[in-house]
Amino acid sequence: MHSMPVLLDHAHDTISLNLQQEHSSSHLAMSDSHLLITGPAVFDPFRQDDPPSRLAIEDLIEDQLQFSLFIQALAKMMAEPQDQLIAHYQVGGIHGLPPVKWNGSGGDDSVSDNWKGYCTHSTNIFPTWHRPYVALYEQVLQQYAIEKANEYQQQPAGKTWVAIAEALRLPYWDWAAKAIPPDEVINQDHIDIVTPDDKLNPDGSWTTTSVVNPLWGYHFTPPLDKSFSDYDYFANWLKTLRHPTSADASATDNPDSLKRTLKLFATQFRNQTHDMLLLIDNWYDFSNDQASKHDHNAYTSLEGIHDSVHNCTGGDPTTNVSGHMAWLEFAGHDPIFFMHHCNVDRLFALWQAINPTIYVTPGDLPHGSWTYPASNQNVVDETTALTPFWQTQEIYWDSVASRDFRRLGYTYPEFQNVGTTDPDALSQIIKDKVAQLYPRERIVPPRAPGHQLPNYREWLARVRAKKHGVGGGFSVYLFFGHVPDNRNEWLESPSFAGAQHFFVTRDVSNCSNCQSQADIDVEAFIYFTEAINRVKPELFPFEVDEVEPWLTEEKLLHWRVIRHSDSTIVNSDDPKLELQVVVLSRPHDQVARHHPAPNRGIEVHHGITVGRPGGARSG
């Protein structure tokens, strides 16, 4: 029995065409028509059973044969000439640079300064726009896997290489459960796989061949596009880098720095993800990182969590320059980008199942984009075209069409074999799975009664600032106690309580959406109850009448801001940034399986940071 309601119509006949039928060339070359985004080509969305599941990257690696096809397909996609429509370079560039029209979507690119981009960041269609985007990458990748499968002479026992390729889906990196990716993704420049030249042994095992690992990074073909030269050291780097060792052309990845950073943020990712999935019950606060319309939201959005993962993967601005994943303009070129966004889509799917009646609510985009006309009355909603992703030769995908992800030929493990299509029953099943996947940390008081952990009040800082206030991405670091003078020591300091990274383009001239957002605020939330418990555990269960006066008097909370583009410290009272760090508290239930209803019992404590640079504006 399939796990999600089938929301299909006859119009979908057009998009279910096999890519091999649509495009006779192995390169899926286009002439006067558009490449249609169908998802994996071999799945019929009108079937009543589940499509193949996207797997966690760890699970895909365990499947030696399917992982071997994945690696070879990815390598082939990366080897495509950079001017080919379905090359990794072209598909990755949709997200940012180079500023070129993709798949016939946009204005007249012969007109100077006409590029306006496809950006939907910090808008209400952030989750839905990335859904067909990831499906496009998966679609092309699977086609290459099928081509490679046909090169094998020996077949595995009980199945064929082509059947393995047909079931292949893009893997996801679940950074909320396992923050550090496997070494096969971040720490090996070569990898052992089964190629068409390898042999099947009598015992059923295969010989293997060591090949260049495409997950290690994408190698650009020089000369780099002239748009790269506007971004300092990116003109020097011919390979995507994670935690680069320097800004020089000789820079390499620093996997140890990457692992250390992700380990430090693992608990924050898990806690924020748990709360986002189970406690946000409206589309606006869930979908994007714009500041909430009310003062009593206390949960970081899907996009807000996604922002921090981007920047933690790209680099650590407290110690060095940041690599491609930390820059909106270049992130799509790093192959880990699509595993990251595959997980973003998975979390979106989980939230949909938990909140089956809630979906895209209208938002504004007055400056438009390259494909959305500029208008002061321009409304972005569930019918807005998700450009540049064509559903048919005449229309684009929109949020209505992509609401049921099964239409794009995949599912996720959490939806397999659930035994129901009833929305309420499915909602409860997924809630239970989320609670198991992403358990909140627990605080054990000095004298807990028996085996039962008592509830307590949780304390957190709301970080709000102008998105484009410092000219690009930035990070806000929270400390509970002394801040080391040497910022290289910040993340290792006992006083470090957490940080929020904001993923922002540096040059808004190439992005109409970014120009529309010149004055918007973005926000996220950093938990620091553990810091209180470390310094003063006798305050447990951390009620307001004890914690608030203590925090106000001691002024233990401190914060610092770093701009990513040049790794410089920005003054917290910078008038362009308009930073506001405000303390909130809320009930935290350690006993019940799920937390109280959203927004219940949340209090805002302006007085704790009021009057300080970057603090609350009023008491």
Side-chain angles (χ1 to χ4, degrees):
M1 178 177 287
H2 60 84
S3 57
M4 289 290 289
V6 182
L7 306 174
L8 303 175
D9 53 49
H10 296 296
H12 194 57
D13 287 334
T14 311
I15 67 167
S16 62
L17 297 172
N18 189 299
L19 287 179
Q20 290 176 309
Q21 296 172 339
E22 275 286 296
H23 314 293
S24 59
S25 167
S26 63
H27 296 301
L28 312 181
M30 301 300 299
S31 54
D32 296 328
S33 59
H34 305 300
L35 170 67
L36 304 186
I37 313 308
T38 66
V42 298
F43 179 73
D44 178 2
F46 289 92
R47 286 167 43 178
Q48 293 301 299
D49 57 339
D50 277 324
S53 181
R54 291 175 174 174
L55 301 177
I57 181 59
E58 295 86 359
D59 294 331
L60 181 62
I61 291 171
E62 288 298 312
D63 187 332
Q64 183 190 36
L65 304 189
Q66 196 167 66
F67 183 63
S68 295
L69 287 177
F70 170 67
I71 289 295
Q72 292 172 97
L74 183 58
K76 196 168 184 180
M77 189 172 178
M78 288 183 170
E80 284 284 357
Q82 291 182 174
D83 61 353
Q84 295 296 307
L85 181 71
I86 44 70
H88 172 87
Y89 177 78
Q90 286 279 331
V91 178
I94 292 171
H95 194 264
L97 296 178
V100 295
K101 180 190 297 187
W102 191 83
N103 202 15
S105 299
D108 183 359
D109 53 4
S110 66
V111 179
S112 178
D113 299 325
N114 193 45
W115 171 250
K116 296 181 180 180
Y118 303 118
C119 173
T120 61
H121 292 87
S122 298
T123 75
N124 56 326
I125 56 174
F126 166 80
T128 56
W129 183 89
H130 284 84
R131 176 162 284 174
Y133 185 26
V134 174
L136 159 65
Y137 198 86
E138 182 175 56
Q139 170 181 334
V140 177
L141 193 73
Q142 191 208 48
Q143 186 67 24
Y144 283 132
I146 293 173
E147 291 178 6
K148 179 58 66 174
N150 281 303
E151 297 178 16
Y152 287 81
Q153 299 301 311
Q154 289 183 289
Q155 301 298 322
K159 51 189 170 183
T160 67
W161 281 99
V162 169
I164 294 171
E166 289 177 348
L168 176 65
R169 297 296 185 268
L170 191 67
Y172 59 87
W173 165 33
D174 186 3
W175 28 258
K178 296 181 180 179
I180 301 175
D183 279 350
E184 289 87 348
V185 177
I186 62 172
N187 202 24
Q188 295 180 8
D189 58 0
H190 282 71
I191 196 166
D192 294 336
I193 62 168
V194 179
T195 72
D197 294 329
D198 286 299
K199 304 299 181 184
L200 180 62
N201 295 317
D203 64 358
S205 65
W206 290 81
T207 63
T208 59
T209 300
S210 179
V211 300
V212 174
N213 184 7
L215 293 171
W216 180 244
Y218 174 69
H219 294 265
F220 298 96
T221 301
L224 297 179
D225 187 84
K226 62 181 181 180
S227 62
F228 285 40
S229 63
D230 295 331
Y231 287 81
D232 309 316
Y233 38 85
F234 284 95
N236 300 329
W237 295 337
L238 294 181
K239 173 190 170 294
T240 56
L241 296 173
R242 302 166 194 148
H243 288 243
T245 52
S246 73
D248 300 332
S250 60
T252 59
D253 291 69
N254 186 341
D256 290 338
S257 176
L258 172 59
K259 291 180 180 180
R260 182 173 60 252
T261 300
L262 291 173
K263 183 179 180 180
L264 281 168
F265 282 85
T267 300
Q268 176 175 314
F269 293 160
R270 186 178 68 249
N271 290 345
Q272 288 179 332
T273 299
H274 173 282
D275 290 355
M276 177 267 294
L277 290 173
L278 294 179
L279 296 176
I280 298 181
D281 64 352
N282 70 89
W283 181 262
Y284 185 92
D285 291 334
F286 162 76
S287 64
N288 69 92
D289 60 7
Q290 282 201 49
S292 179
K293 296 181 181 296
H294 59 84
D295 204 34
H296 283 75
N297 176 52
Y299 316 110
T300 302
S301 67
L302 176 64
E303 185 177 12
I305 306 169
H306 141 280
D307 284 3
S308 282
V309 176
H310 261 288
N311 286 285
C312 287
T313 308
D316 173 12
T318 68
T319 59
N320 213 325
V321 296
S322 293
H324 295 74
M325 268 290 283
W327 288 69
L328 192 150
E329 297 90 333
F330 301 103
H333 296 297
D334 188 326
I336 205 173
F337 170 91
F338 287 96
M339 288 190 289
H340 167 39
H341 270 279
C342 190
N343 194 51
V344 170
D345 182 76
R346 171 177 159 271
L347 297 177
F348 172 26
L350 295 175
W351 190 88
Q352 283 183 272
I354 292 170
N355 302 277
T357 63
I358 304 172
Y359 202 51
V360 179
T361 53
D364 300 323
L365 193 67
H367 285 251
S369 72
W370 215 24
T371 46
Y372 306 147
S375 169
N376 288 332
Q377 287 77 43
N378 197 26
V379 174
V380 182
D381 58 21
E382 62 182 8
T383 64
T384 299
L386 303 178
T387 57
F389 310 118
W390 293 96
Q391 181 181 1
T392 73
Q393 292 297 337
E394 292 78 32
I395 64 172
Y396 294 102
W397 281 90
D398 62 19
S399 300
V400 174
S402 62
R403 184 169 187 169
D404 180 2
F405 52 84
R406 292 181 71 257
R407 292 188 67 164
L408 287 160
Y410 65 88
T411 188
Y412 291 107
E414 292 81 9
F415 295 98
Q416 292 185 305
N417 304 314
V418 295
T420 183
T421 57
D422 176 73
D424 292 336
L426 182 61
S427 175
Q428 189 58 52
I429 289 171
I430 298 302
K431 284 180 181 179
D432 290 342
K433 292 188 176 187
V434 166
Q436 294 169 358
L437 282 167
Y438 311 119
R440 288 293 310 270
E441 85 283 7
R442 296 190 170 190
I443 294 179
V444 181
R447 292 177 295 278
H451 297 288
Q452 184 175 355
L453 291 176
N455 297 330
Y456 62 88
R457 194 158 191 87
E458 183 164 57
W459 292 79
L460 58 158
R462 182 181 67 206
V463 177
R464 183 178 290 180
K466 292 296 180 187
K467 179 175 181 176
H468 294 283
V470 300
F474 61 98
S475 300
V476 180
Y477 297 84
L478 189 71
F479 301 88
F480 201 79
H482 172 70
V483 182
D485 294 332
N486 183 352
R487 66 179 185 179
N488 292 351
E489 301 173 1
W490 284 2
L491 297 188
E492 303 294 340
S493 169
S495 64
F496 176 65
Q500 177 62 35
H501 308 284
F502 293 97
F503 189 55
V504 185
T505 189
R506 191 184 76 176
D507 183 5
V508 301
S509 64
N510 287 330
C511 177
S512 290
N513 178 44
C514 303
Q515 294 167 20
S516 298
Q517 298 172 347
D519 198 44
I520 71 164
D521 292 327
V522 287
E523 75 175 11
F525 300 85
I526 303 171
Y527 309 136
F528 63 89
T529 316
E530 283 281 0
I532 297 175
N533 188 57
R534 183 181 67 245
V535 175
K536 210 170 182 63
E538 63 269 25
L539 289 184
F540 189 94
F542 314 124
E543 295 297 343
V544 172
D545 58 354
E546 290 191 320
V547 174
E548 184 176 39
W550 178 64
L551 288 177
T552 304
E553 180 179 350
E554 297 294 332
K555 291 184 171 53
L556 289 172
L557 276 182
H558 302 278
W559 47 88
R560 299 289 187 272
V561 182
I562 288 185
R563 178 170 50 225
H564 297 161
S565 60
D566 53 10
S567 298
T568 59
I569 297 177
V570 178
N571 290 333
S572 295
D573 57 357
D574 187 315
K576 293 182 179 178
L577 182 62
E578 294 188 20
L579 176 67
Q580 299 178 65
V581 177
V582 179
V583 174
L584 291 79
S585 67
R586 67 189 184 200
H588 180 76
D589 190 345
Q590 293 198 108
V591 180
R593 195 166 176 78
H594 301 303
H595 285 208
N599 303 324
R600 182 181 299 167
I602 294 174
E603 295 186 27
V604 183
H605 310 281
H606 295 92
I608 294 175
T609 61
V610 71
R612 299 171 60 188
R617 293 182 181 172
S618 65

